[in-house]
Amino acid sequence: MGKGVNSTFVYILGAMFMLSFVFVFEAMLTVFSRFYSDEIAKKLVHIERNTTRIISKQQEEAKIITSNCNLFEGSWVIDDDVIDPLYNTTTCPFIRKIFDCTNRPDRQYLKYKWQPSSCNLPRFDGRELLRKYKGKQIMFVGDSLSLNNYESFLCLLYVSVPEMNYKTKLTNQSVTVIFEDYKVLVTLFNSLFLVDVEVEPNIGRVLKLNSIKNGEIWKQADVLIFNTWLWWTRGKPKQPWDYIENGGKLVKDMNRIAAFKRGLNTWVKWVETQVDPTKTKVFYQGEAASHHHGEDWGDPGVKGCSNETRPVMGSIYPGGLPLAAQIVKKVLRKKESIIFLLDITILSHLRKDGHPANHNGYKGIDCTHFCLSGVPDTWNQLFYASLFSMY
């Protein structure tokens, strides 16, 4: 009897142990499965969020492509969200004194944004651009308006990634800022005419309308943004050449508009024959704007831009499209597959209030270049949207 009781007792204890083990095991499995379910769920959410972000960005870019929206047609409107400028000389180390409007007493010119007529302009995402062009080179080629654009571009990139490391490399004709964290090179190559100016023995400086020798340097870049016009109509003493060579003939001077057109056609031919469109994207920065005569913007009698504090409202500039811009559009017509026109002419002409005037520390009044921060930031916003619409 005792032996039977003991056996039963042992059996009961064993059963209880096995039952406890099952409960513990099931509990462990539950916790284990919940942990991994949570981790999987987290990963799925992470993937979903990233995918949503990517899809949203692609949709934003695709919207530009598919909506047939002309980003360059629109008007300047007050941006109520603007509290401070995008950057200034304190936050960006690249602004030259000529573009520095820190001493300008009015700040209203910083509160306008460009609003296309039939779509919204995507914001400039400097971090995204640096990621996409990691290890690549973006080059601006042109005159001081290219410099104006270049320094805006540098500042927009620099403030997008706080405390980003950079170094500067100088040559006789160029300056390159290397953003070391991304290995992105941003270069300004000084070329007033795009075509060559060479010193000939016993002759002097010759503007050669059919020659581009710097192209071997330019075409190494992954993105090129060209500009020229400002110096084509300059006379002595500022004229930077002594003779013009046109079609093998040396002349003391010629019609400057005809010379500009010939030089521009030489540049287009160079792009067509020398640039690999699968490697390098080419942009032409349209003529910007000088504001010296009030009749151009519907205010006869006004001289210069010193007292201008607001844009021309609406989308039509009273002075119309300048001749240089008309020539550019005609020359680049049917070249859209290889050259993208950044058509900033009218939107820049509307900004009679955007110049340094006499507030940049230099003697005289500058109604040709633009304050930084300011209008060139919109040029680069349009460049960014146009560049990313190509992918």
Side-chain angles (χ1 to χ4, degrees), residues 254-271:
M254 65 180 287
N255 181 286
R256 302 299 183 85
I257 300 300
F260 170 64
K261 188 174 182 180
R262 177 61 62 89
L264 196 61
N265 273 297
T266 296
W267 171 76
V268 170
K269 185 177 180 181
W270 174 81
V271 173

Side-chain angles (χ1 to χ4, degrees), residues 165-375:
N165 296 310
Y166 73 92
K167 62 182 179 181
T168 303
K169 180 181 177 182
L170 298 172
T171 71
N172 290 336
Q173 284 187 282
S174 69
V175 55
T176 298
V177 172
I178 304 167
F179 292 106
E180 296 179 292
D181 303 303
Y182 294 87
K183 296 181 176 60
V184 173
L185 285 70
V186 185
T187 300
L188 173 76
F189 191 100
N190 182 47
S191 179
L192 302 183
F193 304 100
L194 302 186
V195 292
D196 297 331
V197 177
E198 296 185 317
V199 178
E200 298 282 355
N202 304 318
I203 297 175
R205 300 166 300 174
V206 180
L207 174 60
K208 299 187 173 184
L209 300 182
N210 304 100
S211 174
I212 295 180
K213 292 183 178 177
N214 290 317
E216 290 302 313
I217 299 172
W218 302 344
K219 67 183 184 181
Q220 301 306 312
D222 299 281
V223 180
L224 288 164
I225 306 100
F226 292 93
N227 163 256
T228 185
W229 167 245
L230 196 58
W231 286 82
W232 283 92
T233 57
R234 294 282 176 92
K236 293 182 178 180
K238 293 184 177 182
Q239 174 183 301
W241 49 264
D242 304 303
Y243 291 89
I244 296 177
E245 184 180 272
N246 181 26
K249 295 181 180 179
L250 204 64
V251 295
K252 190 68 178 174
D253 206 344
M254 65 180 287
N255 181 286
R256 302 299 183 85
I257 300 300
F260 170 64
K261 188 174 182 180
R262 177 61 62 89
L264 196 61
N265 273 297
T266 296
W267 171 76
V268 170
K269 185 177 180 181
W270 174 81
V271 173
E272 289 179 313
T273 59
Q274 298 297 316
V275 177
D276 180 358
T278 64
K279 175 190 179 296
T280 303
K281 300 189 186 310
V282 179
F283 293 82
Y284 186 88
Q285 175 188 326
E287 185 219 347
S290 294
H291 291 97
H292 298 288
H293 308 289
E295 58 265 26
D296 291 342
W297 60 84
D299 201 353
V302 172
K303 299 296 181 184
C305 62
S306 296
N307 297 317
E308 301 303 320
T309 58
R310 61 196 300 267
V312 176
M313 305 313 293
S315 58
I316 298 173
Y317 187 66
L321 190 65
L323 181 57
Q326 295 178 39
I327 292 170
V328 167
K329 287 195 170 188
K330 185 174 181 180
V331 170
L332 297 187
R333 191 172 298 150
K334 297 181 180 180
K335 306 296 180 183
E336 295 90 347
S337 62
I338 57 170
I339 301 169
F340 188 99
L341 174 60
L342 291 168
D343 194 5
I344 62 170
T345 300
I346 291 298
L347 68 90
S348 300
H349 274 72
L350 293 172
R351 290 306 303 271
K352 58 186 175 64
D353 61 319
H355 303 286
N358 58 345
H359 302 299
N360 59 2
Y362 281 86
K363 292 182 180 179
I365 298 175
D366 186 353
C367 296
T368 298
H369 303 99
F370 289 87
C371 293
L372 294 181
S373 149
V375 174

Side-chain angles (χ1 to χ4, degrees), residues 115-132:
Q115 179 60 58
S117 298
S118 55
C119 63
N120 291 318
L121 187 58
R123 68 183 181 87
F124 184 99
D125 188 339
R127 189 185 294 268
E128 181 68 17
L129 194 149
L130 287 165
R131 284 189 187 128
K132 194 166 190 68

Side-chain angles (χ1 to χ4, degrees), residues 82 84-88 91 110 124 155-156 159 373-374 377-378 381:
V82 173
D84 297 310
L86 294 171
Y87 55 82
N88 53 38
T91 58
L110 293 167
F124 184 99
C155 288
L156 290 171
V159 298
S373 149
D377 302 328
T378 297
Q381 194 178 4

